[in-house]
Amino acid sequence: HFELTKEEEEKYSLPYNRVVSLDDTGLISFFIAKMQYEFYGQNKYKERKINLYFELLCLEIEEQMKAQSAGKPQDYSIYNMRAYIYNYPDRRLKNKYYADLVNMSVSHFQRTYEKTFGISPTQDIILSRIERVKYLLKNTNDSIGEIAAQLNYKNDVQLFRQFKKIMGMTPLEYRKKQKKICEN
Protein backbone atom coordinates (compact mmCIF):
# COMPACT_ATOMS: atom_id res chain seq x y z
CA HIS A 1 0.00 0.00 0.00
CA PHE A 2 1.34 3.42 -0.99
CA GLU A 3 -0.11 6.88 -0.74
CA LEU A 4 0.67 8.97 -3.80
CA THR A 5 0.90 12.70 -4.16
CA LYS A 6 -1.30 14.39 -6.79
CA GLU A 7 1.74 14.68 -9.08
CA GLU A 8 2.51 10.96 -8.73
CA GLU A 9 -1.12 10.05 -9.42
CA GLU A 10 -0.96 12.01 -12.66
CA LYS A 11 2.49 10.69 -13.59
CA TYR A 12 1.67 6.95 -13.44
CA SER A 13 -1.20 5.07 -15.05
CA LEU A 14 -1.88 2.78 -12.10
CA PRO A 15 -5.28 1.60 -10.91
CA TYR A 16 -6.34 2.76 -7.46
CA ASN A 17 -8.14 0.73 -4.81
CA ARG A 18 -7.95 -2.41 -6.93
CA VAL A 19 -5.99 -5.63 -6.49
CA VAL A 20 -3.83 -6.37 -9.54
CA SER A 21 -2.20 -9.68 -10.46
CA LEU A 22 1.24 -9.36 -12.06
CA ASP A 23 3.33 -11.93 -13.92
CA ASP A 24 6.77 -11.12 -12.52
CA THR A 25 6.73 -10.16 -8.87
CA GLY A 26 10.47 -10.78 -8.41
CA LEU A 27 11.54 -7.36 -9.66
CA ILE A 28 8.72 -5.66 -7.77
CA SER A 29 9.75 -7.44 -4.56
CA PHE A 30 13.33 -6.35 -5.21
CA PHE A 31 12.35 -2.66 -5.39
CA ILE A 32 10.27 -2.92 -2.23
CA ALA A 33 13.14 -4.66 -0.41
CA LYS A 34 15.55 -1.93 -1.54
CA MET A 35 13.19 0.80 -0.31
CA GLN A 36 12.88 -0.95 3.04
CA TYR A 37 16.65 -1.34 3.30
CA GLU A 38 17.17 2.37 2.58
CA PHE A 39 14.37 3.40 4.96
CA TYR A 40 16.12 1.76 7.91
CA GLY A 41 19.63 2.69 6.78
CA GLN A 42 21.69 5.75 7.55
CA ASN A 43 22.68 6.54 3.97
CA LYS A 44 23.26 10.16 3.06
CA TYR A 45 21.13 9.74 -0.09
CA LYS A 46 18.46 7.58 1.53
CA GLU A 47 15.45 9.77 0.66
CA ARG A 48 16.54 10.22 -2.96
CA LYS A 49 17.22 6.51 -3.38
CA ILE A 50 13.82 5.59 -1.92
CA ASN A 51 12.14 7.97 -4.38
CA LEU A 52 14.06 6.48 -7.31
CA TYR A 53 13.22 2.91 -6.29
CA PHE A 54 9.59 3.95 -5.91
CA GLU A 55 9.58 5.43 -9.39
CA LEU A 56 11.11 2.24 -10.80
CA LEU A 57 8.49 0.21 -8.95
CA CYS A 58 5.65 2.25 -10.44
CA LEU A 59 7.13 2.05 -13.92
CA GLU A 60 7.56 -1.72 -13.65
CA ILE A 61 3.97 -2.21 -12.49
CA GLU A 62 2.69 0.03 -15.27
CA GLU A 63 4.79 -1.82 -17.87
CA GLN A 64 3.59 -5.24 -16.72
CA MET A 65 -0.03 -4.14 -16.73
CA LYS A 66 0.28 -2.76 -20.28
CA ALA A 67 1.90 -5.99 -21.44
CA GLN A 68 -0.93 -8.02 -19.87
CA SER A 69 -3.61 -5.94 -21.57
CA ALA A 70 -1.77 -6.22 -24.91
CA GLY A 71 -1.84 -10.01 -24.71
CA LYS A 72 1.90 -10.54 -24.17
CA PRO A 73 3.69 -10.92 -27.48
CA GLN A 74 6.36 -13.62 -27.73
CA ASP A 75 9.27 -11.17 -27.35
CA TYR A 76 7.87 -9.98 -24.03
CA SER A 77 8.01 -13.57 -22.83
CA ILE A 78 11.69 -13.77 -23.77
CA TYR A 79 12.31 -10.57 -21.80
CA ASN A 80 10.38 -12.05 -18.89
CA MET A 81 12.60 -15.12 -18.96
CA ARG A 82 15.72 -12.98 -18.82
CA ALA A 83 14.32 -10.98 -15.92
CA TYR A 84 13.48 -14.25 -14.17
CA ILE A 85 17.01 -15.57 -14.74
CA TYR A 86 18.54 -12.43 -13.20
CA ASN A 87 16.01 -12.25 -10.37
CA TYR A 88 16.55 -15.86 -9.35
CA PRO A 89 20.17 -16.82 -10.09
CA ASP A 90 20.04 -19.43 -7.33
CA ARG A 91 17.63 -21.62 -9.28
CA ARG A 92 19.33 -24.32 -11.29
CA LEU A 93 16.85 -24.65 -14.12
CA LYS A 94 17.41 -26.08 -17.58
CA ASN A 95 16.65 -24.34 -20.87
CA LYS A 96 13.72 -26.73 -21.31
CA TYR A 97 12.02 -25.17 -18.29
CA TYR A 98 12.29 -21.66 -19.78
CA ALA A 99 11.31 -22.87 -23.25
CA ASP A 100 8.19 -24.52 -21.85
CA LEU A 101 7.19 -21.29 -20.09
CA VAL A 102 7.25 -19.38 -23.38
CA ASN A 103 5.72 -22.26 -25.37
CA MET A 104 8.75 -22.85 -27.59
CA SER A 105 10.93 -25.80 -28.38
CA VAL A 106 14.30 -25.72 -26.63
CA SER A 107 16.21 -25.04 -29.85
CA HIS A 108 13.81 -22.26 -30.90
CA PHE A 109 14.03 -20.71 -27.43
CA GLN A 110 17.84 -20.81 -27.50
CA ARG A 111 18.01 -19.24 -30.99
CA THR A 112 15.46 -16.55 -30.13
CA TYR A 113 17.16 -15.76 -26.82
CA GLU A 114 20.60 -15.48 -28.42
CA LYS A 115 19.25 -13.38 -31.30
CA THR A 116 17.48 -11.06 -28.84
CA PHE A 117 20.25 -10.64 -26.25
CA GLY A 118 23.44 -11.60 -28.11
CA ILE A 119 24.25 -14.33 -25.60
CA SER A 120 23.08 -17.90 -25.10
CA PRO A 121 20.64 -18.54 -22.25
CA THR A 122 23.17 -20.85 -20.59
CA GLN A 123 25.88 -18.18 -20.63
CA ASP A 124 23.40 -15.58 -19.39
CA ILE A 125 22.43 -17.85 -16.50
CA ILE A 126 26.11 -18.08 -15.55
CA LEU A 127 26.50 -14.29 -15.82
CA SER A 128 23.41 -13.75 -13.65
CA ARG A 129 24.98 -15.94 -10.98
CA ILE A 130 28.30 -14.08 -11.21
CA GLU A 131 26.47 -10.75 -10.89
CA ARG A 132 24.81 -11.97 -7.70
CA VAL A 133 28.15 -13.28 -6.40
CA LYS A 134 29.68 -9.84 -7.05
CA TYR A 135 26.81 -8.19 -5.19
CA LEU A 136 27.18 -10.53 -2.21
CA LEU A 137 30.96 -10.14 -2.12
CA LYS A 138 30.61 -6.37 -2.11
CA ASN A 139 27.68 -6.05 0.31
CA THR A 140 28.05 -8.91 2.77
CA ASN A 141 30.74 -10.62 4.80
CA ASP A 142 29.52 -14.07 3.75
CA SER A 143 32.25 -16.59 3.05
CA ILE A 144 32.77 -18.01 -0.45
CA GLY A 145 31.30 -21.29 0.80
CA GLU A 146 28.19 -19.52 2.11
CA ILE A 147 27.76 -17.62 -1.16
CA ALA A 148 28.21 -20.84 -3.14
CA ALA A 149 25.51 -22.50 -1.04
CA GLN A 150 23.12 -19.54 -1.46
CA LEU A 151 23.45 -19.76 -5.24
CA ASN A 152 23.26 -23.56 -5.33
CA TYR A 153 26.74 -24.13 -6.69
CA LYS A 154 27.85 -27.72 -6.24
CA ASN A 155 30.70 -26.42 -4.09
CA ASP A 156 32.84 -23.33 -3.55
CA VAL A 157 35.49 -24.61 -5.98
CA GLN A 158 32.95 -24.47 -8.84
CA LEU A 159 32.05 -20.89 -7.90
CA PHE A 160 35.73 -19.97 -7.59
CA ARG A 161 36.60 -21.35 -11.05
CA GLN A 162 33.60 -19.81 -12.78
CA PHE A 163 34.19 -16.43 -11.16
CA LYS A 164 37.89 -16.38 -12.04
CA LYS A 165 37.19 -17.41 -15.63
CA ILE A 166 34.68 -14.60 -16.15
CA MET A 167 36.12 -11.84 -13.93
CA GLY A 168 39.83 -12.57 -14.34
CA MET A 169 40.35 -12.57 -10.58
CA THR A 170 39.37 -14.68 -7.60
CA PRO A 171 36.29 -13.82 -5.54
CA LEU A 172 38.53 -12.77 -2.62
CA GLU A 173 40.59 -10.49 -4.87
CA TYR A 174 37.35 -8.93 -6.10
CA ARG A 175 36.12 -8.39 -2.53
CA LYS A 176 39.41 -6.72 -1.51
CA LYS A 177 39.33 -4.52 -4.60
CA GLN A 178 35.75 -3.42 -3.84
CA LYS A 179 36.60 -2.61 -0.22
CA LYS A 180 39.52 -0.45 -1.36
CA ILE A 181 37.22 1.41 -3.78
CA CYS A 182 34.71 2.04 -0.98
CA GLU A 183 37.45 3.32 1.34
CA ASN A 184 38.68 5.89 -1.19
Side-chain angles (χ1 to χ4, degrees):
H1 174 80
F2 296 98
E3 290 184 21
L4 301 177
T5 64
K6 274 286 188 207
E7 294 83 29
E8 289 169 331
E9 285 181 25
E10 292 169 4
K11 189 175 185 178
Y12 306 110
S13 303
L14 301 176
Y16 298 101
N17 298 320
R18 184 166 64 103
V19 176
V20 178
S21 175
L22 300 171
D23 294 328
D24 180 13
T25 57
L27 194 54
I28 291 165
S29 296
F30 170 79
F31 292 134
I32 292 170
K34 292 301 278 182
M35 286 188 284
Q36 180 183 8
Y37 175 80
E38 292 299 331
F39 181 79
Y40 292 110
Q42 297 300 317
N43 187 324
K44 171 179 164 182
Y45 302 108
K46 130 183 191 172
E47 200 65 37
R48 184 171 177 213
K49 288 169 83 175
I50 290 171
N51 289 334
L52 289 170
Y53 284 126
F54 181 74
E55 183 168 1
L56 288 169
L57 171 72
C58 290
L59 292 171
E60 180 62 26
I61 292 170
E62 185 177 350
E63 189 175 75
Q64 283 194 36
M65 289 177 58
K66 283 180 183 173
Q68 280 180 348
S69 65
K72 283 193 199 172
Q74 191 176 48
D75 283 348
Y76 184 78
S77 295
I78 290 292
Y79 288 103
N80 258 358
M81 291 307 97
R82 190 173 206 207
Y84 186 87
I85 287 168
Y86 276 83
N87 285 332
Y88 303 102
D90 58 318
R91 303 209 174 140
R92 297 182 64 90
L93 302 170
K94 305 276 186 219
N95 285 333
K96 180 167 179 11
Y97 174 83
Y98 298 113
D100 288 346
L101 287 177
V102 292
N103 297 318
M104 294 181 189
S105 70
V106 174
S107 61
H108 183 66
F109 170 73
Q110 289 172 322
R111 281 192 310 275
T112 304
Y113 194 98
E114 191 159 352
K115 184 179 178 185
T116 304
F117 301 114
I119 189 171
S120 74
T122 303
Q123 280 302 111
D124 218 11
I125 289 167
I126 292 169
L127 289 179
S128 76
R129 295 174 93 198
I130 295 301
E131 286 301 314
R132 184 64 59 94
V133 170
K134 286 168 46 179
Y135 175 82
L136 293 170
L137 288 169
K138 185 177 177 182
N139 296 295
T140 72
N141 291 320
D142 294 349
S143 71
I144 303 304
E146 290 170 329
I147 292 172
Q150 288 175 44
L151 291 170
N152 288 317
Y153 278 95
K154 291 177 185 168
N155 54 48
D156 54 346
V157 174
Q158 183 191 24
L159 181 152
F160 184 90
R161 286 182 182 152
Q162 207 171 62
F163 192 91
K164 185 161 183 167
K165 181 180 179 183
I166 291 170
M167 295 301 297
M169 66 181 78
T170 69
L172 293 176
E173 290 170 338
Y174 179 83
R175 178 176 268 165
K176 286 178 187 175
K177 183 178 178 182
Q178 293 305 309
K179 289 193 187 247
K180 282 184 183 178
I181 290 171
C182 289
E183 291 171 358
N184 292 334

